[in-house]
Amino acid sequence: MELANSKSNSRGKSIRNFLGEYYTWIMFIVLYIVAGIIVPNLFTSTTMVTILVQGTTVCLLAFGMTFAMLVGEIDMSIVAVAAFSPMISIMLWEAGLPVPLAMILVLLFGVVVGIFNGLMVTKMKIPSLIQTVAVWWMLSGFVLIVTKGAAKTGLPDAWMFMGRFNVIGRIPLLIPFFVLVLILAIIFARRTVTGRRMYLVGGNADACAAMGIPVDRIKIIAFVMSGVFAALAGYVLSARMGFVSARFAVEWLMPAIAAPVIAGVSMNGGKGNLINVIAGAYLVQLIVMIVRTGGVGGYYTDFVQGVIVFIAILINTFRERLSQ
Amino acid sequence: MIMIRANNISMNFGMIKALKNVSFELEAGKILGLVGDNGAGKSTLLKILCGYLQPTSGEIYIEDKRVQFKSSADAMKEGVAITHQFLELVDMATAWENFFMGREITGKGVGPFKLLDINQMKELTRKAIEKYGLSIDLECEVGKLSGEERQIIAVARAIESDPKILLLDESFTLLSLEGREELVNFLKKVNQQHNVTMIIVSHDLELVKNLTHKIMVLRGGEKIFYGDTEEVSVDQIVEFMLPQE
Ligand SMILES: Nc1ncnc2c1ncn2[C@@H]1O[C@H](COP(=O)(O)OP(=O)(O)O)[C@@H](O)[C@H]1O
Ligand SMILES: [Mg+2]
């Protein structure tokens, strides 16, 4: 009798742990259902696919931000990388660079910016907030200079293939690609030496150094990951929209910060589950969509996004207090 | 054979001279007890030997080879392992992650994409901790464990890395009396069976007398005494440690 009792207790406990661990998913699902009462057609497959596709940008940016946060840093340059990388690559394509090389170049820009941010933060001891805001403005400013503010349309077909070719129904090729990238990132974070070390470095960098973990290198790799994910986000957005512009993706900076924070990624480093960041990203995406379609004018979106980030921070802080 | 030789090691932190021209050598397989009052420079000396700090001046030789560690990683490659005074655990991480940090076990995969063998790491951690008569929830964050459990994880982690030279900085402080005795016996066993050379910092002079072959006393960053443990009494050691008028 007692044994059975303790068994069901431990099952109850593990269910509670599970719900506690994945509460972001629950929040997302609940909000989706509630929003469905207000927003028309939210349960149609067309709307669901639209949300899935639109959310890819925030989700990739949020993954990038998460890697920076895991090691106790922040990367504000992601939105600039998301505009700069595809924009400059497209301009080089116009100048004669073959499309495949231009596409590889997109990622390479992400890597280079990541290495630069990582080196400045680790070797020059510049706070990552200052460093990455400076890079954000430099890259955005550079794009403005070379484009004079004009958007680029007429992207090559091969570039847009991912966004335009549907694999099944209205699901474009970029969705399976996106899912694959997320899975690889999750495996990297959880199951590889470097991924796990990011958590350890964020948890206690001194202890890591004392145990022979190359802290600087791990941090630089984290910035490279955030740069690459930002570049991917920019590429995916351009493949979907069919254009690139200087102010591309800027509106997604706040959501990209809010998503990991809502998902419980610690802003002090060392803690965060990427699976929840997906839910966090779609949750924020959904809120932004509700605000847009909910009839409140466009002037409200910045304000609402600020409020979302703030509430996310409050929830996260409250949860961290509770768990201590 | 001389396992470790330090030559005129000095360490300055700005104006503070934490170590002043400390020299000593230690034969392979011997246990050295390093004692001294708070602030004498014991931790600083161990941190230099394990590559965590770089001395202001002086040289270190391991098995007659000059070594210049730039980081703890360098020292680990030469077979030096340490348990720091303040343990250096990642509180948010689990016991097994702390146990294997810096020397993770991988299985399938290639290069940087090798996957961790988490099950094996858990199993080896469990076995290692059991040797000290403890059983710890391996998935528990170490920040939530008791002081004794944390200390054992940090000590076992250094010993299980199979070092040539083991440095323990006040690794007994959080243990119960029985725990201390058990660890002392275990260290003796490790020392005899694997011929591990050790430097042990402790304020428990009885323990130092019981465990070590050699004793070195530091005072204000200077070496005051170095000799066979058998030759000095606890009272004499205390005398060496006390500040001189
Ligand atoms: N990182 C540091 N920065 C400045 N001073 C330090 C540092 N580490 C140690 N010291 C100083 O060096 C001296 C020796 O310290 P320490 O080696 O920790 O002594 P012990 O371990 O013998 O108690 C002390 O005066 C201490 O304040
Ligand atoms: Mg000390």
Side-chain angles (χ1 to χ4, degrees):
Chain A
M1 187 61 207
E2 243 178 76
L3 205 80
N5 221 335
S6 80
K7 231 180 206 164
S8 75
N9 266 350
S10 82
R11 191 184 305 138
K13 203 174 151 199
S14 72
I15 289 174
R16 223 175 312 127
N17 280 348
F18 183 84
L19 294 182
E21 176 68 29
Y22 294 105
Y23 77 104
T24 322
W25 281 101
I26 297 163
M27 276 167 57
F28 170 66
I29 291 164
V30 168
L31 183 72
Y32 200 98
I33 293 168
V34 172
I37 301 165
I38 312 163
V39 183
N41 300 329
L42 211 51
F43 299 119
T44 64
S45 65
T46 316
T47 314
M48 284 183 173
V49 170
T50 306
I51 290 174
L52 178 66
V53 172
Q54 282 182 352
T56 52
T57 311
V58 192
C59 194
L60 290 169
L61 287 173
F63 263 50
M65 185 61 91
T66 302
F67 280 108
M69 283 183 175
L70 282 184
V71 295
E73 307 290 349
I74 194 162
D75 189 349
M76 303 292 278
S77 71
I78 49 174
V79 285
V81 173
F84 176 92
S85 304
M87 177 63 92
I88 303 301
S89 302
I90 281 298
M91 293 181 82
L92 291 171
W93 165 73
E94 285 175 339
L97 193 72
V99 180
L101 286 185
M103 284 165 72
I104 292 171
L105 202 58
V106 176
L107 292 185
L108 224 53
F109 281 131
V111 172
V112 170
V113 174
I115 291 176
F116 177 61
N117 282 333
L119 283 175
M120 295 308 272
V121 168
T122 56
K123 306 298 179 193
M124 307 289 281
K125 311 281 180 233
I126 299 175
S128 54
L129 180 66
I130 308 289
Q131 164 66 24
T132 57
V133 166
V135 168
W136 164 14
W137 282 65
M138 283 197 292
L139 294 182
S140 301
F142 184 80
V143 170
L144 274 178
I145 294 170
V146 295
T147 61
K148 304 203 169 53
K152 290 257 172 247
T153 51
L155 308 186
D157 286 339
W159 181 287
M160 293 191 298
F161 187 68
M162 261 212 211
R164 296 289 156 90
F165 175 76
N166 288 343
V167 270
I168 358 160
R170 307 168 120 271
I171 296 179
L173 179 61
L174 73 83
I175 289 299
F177 169 74
F178 167 73
V179 171
L180 180 71
V181 167
L182 297 193
I183 290 173
L184 288 177
I186 291 166
I187 292 174
F188 170 77
R190 295 190 155 196
R191 294 294 307 274
T192 69
V193 173
T194 306
R196 280 273 180 177
R197 284 181 173 184
M198 285 181 185
Y199 287 86
L200 298 173
V201 164
N204 184 345
D206 286 339
C208 288
M211 293 311 294
I213 291 176
V215 171
D216 286 358
R217 197 194 310 160
I218 299 294
K219 284 199 172 187
I220 293 169
I221 295 172
F223 276 107
V224 168
M225 292 299 285
S226 71
V228 166
F229 271 87
L232 273 176
Y235 166 71
V236 163
L237 188 59
S238 67
R240 190 157 68 72
M241 309 285 277
F243 74 95
V244 234
S245 79
R247 310 240 340 126
F248 216 44
V250 165
E251 61 192 294
W252 295 114
L253 178 64
M254 282 300 130
I257 296 172
V261 174
I262 282 184
V265 176
S266 167
M267 281 168 291
N268 302 315
K271 209 170 184 175
N273 184 339
L274 283 170
I275 294 176
N276 289 333
V277 175
I278 303 172
Y282 278 95
L283 184 64
V284 178
Q285 166 80 23
L286 185 64
I287 296 171
V288 171
M289 206 189 88
I290 294 168
V291 173
R292 278 192 189 151
T293 58
V296 276
Y299 295 123
Y300 282 82
T301 43
D302 283 6
F303 174 74
V304 170
Q305 289 187 14
V307 171
I308 294 169
V309 172
F310 187 69
I311 291 174
I313 291 169
L314 280 187
I315 293 175
N316 195 340
T317 311
F318 188 61
R319 270 178 55 88
E320 276 190 17
R321 290 266 163 78
L322 270 185
S323 74
Q324 268 160 19
Chain B
M1 186 186 56
I2 302 299
M3 176 56 78
I4 188 160
R5 186 151 66 88
N7 215 350
N8 283 317
I9 300 285
S10 293
M11 184 76 203
N12 303 340
F13 295 106
M15 299 294 287
I16 300 168
K17 293 182 175 358
L19 290 173
K20 300 171 195 162
N21 286 313
V22 174
S23 301
F24 71 93
E25 53 185 43
L26 184 61
E27 268 180 66
K30 295 284 186 243
I31 304 180
L32 169 66
L34 179 56
V35 298
D37 211 348
N38 282 329
K42 307 179 297 292
S43 293
T44 304
L45 181 56
L46 291 198
K47 282 179 185 163
I48 290 170
L49 295 176
C50 78
Y52 189 72
L53 291 176
Q54 286 68 47
T56 310
S57 63
E59 302 111 49
I60 298 164
Y61 299 82
I62 288 179
E63 293 180 320
D64 283 329
K65 195 182 90 192
R66 170 91 192 265
V67 291
Q68 279 173 296
F69 300 140
K70 290 191 184 63
S71 68
S72 298
D74 289 351
M76 286 165 88
K77 282 186 207 114
E78 291 291 331
V80 181
I82 182 166
T83 300
H84 289 275
Q85 182 172 1
F86 300 107
L87 304 183
E88 305 294 8
L89 297 172
V90 180
D91 282 349
M92 298 177 184
T94 61
W96 67 265
E97 283 176 291
N98 272 281
F99 197 82
F100 276 102
M101 66 191 274
R103 53 186 188 95
E104 298 86 347
I105 299 176
T106 52
K108 285 192 249 31
V110 278
F113 303 105
K114 275 211 186 83
L115 296 185
L116 291 165
D117 192 340
I118 293 176
N119 286 334
Q120 198 189 346
M121 285 192 276
K122 280 187 194 165
E123 182 60 18
L124 290 174
T125 307
R126 190 182 59 72
K127 277 190 185 150
I129 306 272
E130 265 174 9
K131 292 182 194 168
Y132 303 84
L134 288 179
S135 73
I136 293 174
D137 176 6
L138 294 176
E139 290 293 348
C140 186
E141 292 177 13
V142 300
K144 291 178 178 156
L145 297 176
S146 73
E148 177 155 34
E149 290 168 328
R150 290 164 55 79
Q151 193 149 45
I152 287 299
I153 289 175
V155 171
R157 159 171 92 177
I159 294 175
E160 294 294 320
S161 72
D162 199 16
K164 281 197 293 203
I165 300 169
L166 176 67
L167 312 173
L168 297 181
D169 194 352
E170 308 206 10
S171 299
F172 305 89
T173 45
L174 301 171
L175 305 183
S176 64
L177 274 179
E178 303 82 65
R180 282 185 193 208
E181 212 174 289
E182 208 157 319
L183 181 54
V184 164
N185 291 334
F186 190 71
L187 289 172
K188 282 182 178 171
K189 210 168 82 187
V190 169
N191 170 249
Q192 279 155 16
Q193 289 175 353
H194 302 281
N195 204 36
V196 180
T197 310
M198 302 183 185
I199 304 181
I200 307 249
V201 171
S202 175
H203 286 287
D204 184 339
L205 296 180
E206 295 294 344
L207 183 152
V208 171
K209 273 288 279 178
N210 171 5
L211 176 61
T212 66
H213 308 108
K214 296 272 181 184
I215 285 185
M216 176 156 80
V217 183
L218 288 180
R219 188 172 68 212
E222 282 179 278
K223 184 177 85 176
I224 297 297
F225 171 84
Y226 186 100
D228 289 339
T229 303
E230 287 171 0
E231 284 172 14
V232 281
S233 67
V234 168
D235 287 347
Q236 280 171 306
I237 299 171
V238 172
E239 193 72 21
F240 288 132
M241 286 166 56
L242 289 175
Q244 291 324 72
E245 266 88 274

